[in-house]
Amino acid sequence: AAGSSREAGDDCQRWMAEGGDAGFVSMYAAPDSLQSLYDSMGELSADELSAMDLGGSISDFKGMAGTVRFNDGALEMAVATATAAGLDEGTAAGELAASLPEDTAGAISFSVPEGWLEQAADRIAEIDGGTTGAELLDQLSQETGLDLPADFETVTGEAISLSVSADIDVDALSNSGDMSELPAGLKIKGDAEAIQEVLDKLTAQMGPDAELFTVESDGDMVALSPNDDYRSALLGDGGL
């Protein structure tokens, strides 16, 4: 309380602005807050702390802010941050999310840069011990029939989003078990022909479950969904 106000700091102002309009709850974490949290967990060993730090070095945390607000009759939470996890900081993911159907109830959209999967495999191998990242990817390739990491980078394209429509009826799905009624799917911006080739490798091993990977494409947009109507809606510019 005796120190300077966090609100006056450049980091706080940056992240609060990125979070958008203010709401009835505002949250902020300074760049050094994650390090302080780890320092307070002195009872854990260095190895245990390292194993918990799956997203990258805590020293690379750049701060974050969030707000909870009402927006046009809905309760909305927005959080803005940046990490060293390796996801692309470009605009492709946001642009893809903005093209989802207007009635989207929930979505996550991201871009994966070249080399991300190798980095993730190396980190997992360090924690697990006894293997290398390359060996881990070789094992996954044998189990899935994919050529990793190349096929992973192909199927994630420039950006990929997972979304679900507000029309989802959980009770009906639970009772019928008919996945063709599920209004959810993936939308990918990338090389449609190359993406289809990767998906063919997966569906060849899935049997009846291959219907989950029913695909439509239009130019550099690919849509996967077991629901015909939702798959078609994903391909268009939904105006979210």
Side-chain angles (χ1 to χ4, degrees):
S4 62
S5 169
R6 282 293 193 188
E7 188 176 1
D10 292 339
D11 288 313
C12 182
Q13 291 182 1
R14 172 196 176 189
W15 291 122
M16 293 302 291
E18 291 284 356
D21 296 337
F24 59 89
V25 174
S26 293
M27 301 164 282
Y28 169 68
D32 59 356
S33 60
L34 194 56
Q35 181 68 59
S36 298
L37 176 62
Y38 272 39
D39 291 344
S40 71
M41 302 168 67
E43 70 277 8
L44 296 179
S45 69
D47 288 341
E48 289 173 321
L49 288 175
S50 176
M52 292 171 61
D53 184 23
L54 299 179
S57 172
I58 58 174
S59 62
D60 292 326
F61 179 62
K62 297 178 177 62
M64 67 177 292
T67 183
V68 182
R69 58 196 173 220
F70 289 108
N71 183 12
D72 193 23
L75 182 64
E76 178 179 82
M77 179 177 180
V79 177
T81 188
T83 73
L87 296 182
D88 199 329
E89 295 182 357
T91 61
E95 292 168 354
L96 190 66
S99 74
L100 294 174
E102 199 169 28
D103 68 345
T104 298
I108 180 170
S109 184
F110 56 91
S111 298
V112 181
E114 184 177 351
W116 183 87
L117 188 61
E118 293 101 315
Q119 295 175 22
D122 287 341
R123 179 167 290 276
I124 293 173
E126 288 176 9
I127 296 172
D128 184 57
T131 186
T132 66
E135 290 171 341
L136 181 59
L137 291 179
D138 285 342
Q139 180 181 344
L140 288 173
S141 295
Q142 294 174 12
E143 294 175 353
T144 61
L146 299 178
D147 178 16
L148 299 175
D151 284 349
F152 173 81
E153 293 179 354
T154 296
V155 83
T156 53
E158 293 182 38
I160 183 171
S161 67
L162 171 64
S163 59
V164 59
S165 169
D167 290 335
I168 187 170
D169 188 334
V170 178
D171 289 336
L173 284 170
S174 299
N175 293 328
S176 70
D178 184 1
M179 296 302 292
S180 66
E181 299 179 4
L182 176 64
L186 292 170
K187 184 173 185 177
I188 308 167
K189 181 179 181 180
D191 184 332
E193 184 176 348
I195 291 172
Q196 182 65 66
E197 291 176 358
V198 175
L199 295 175
D200 287 343
K201 295 180 183 180
L202 289 172
T203 55
Q205 304 180 54
M206 295 182 64
D209 292 333
E211 65 181 18
L212 297 175
F213 287 84
T214 303
V215 181
E216 288 184 33
S217 63
D218 184 6
D220 62 353
M221 292 296 175
V222 178
L224 295 79
S225 175
N227 184 296
D228 294 341
D229 292 338
Y230 192 69
R231 190 169 58 251
S232 297
L234 283 176
L235 277 184
D237 185 356
L240 181 61

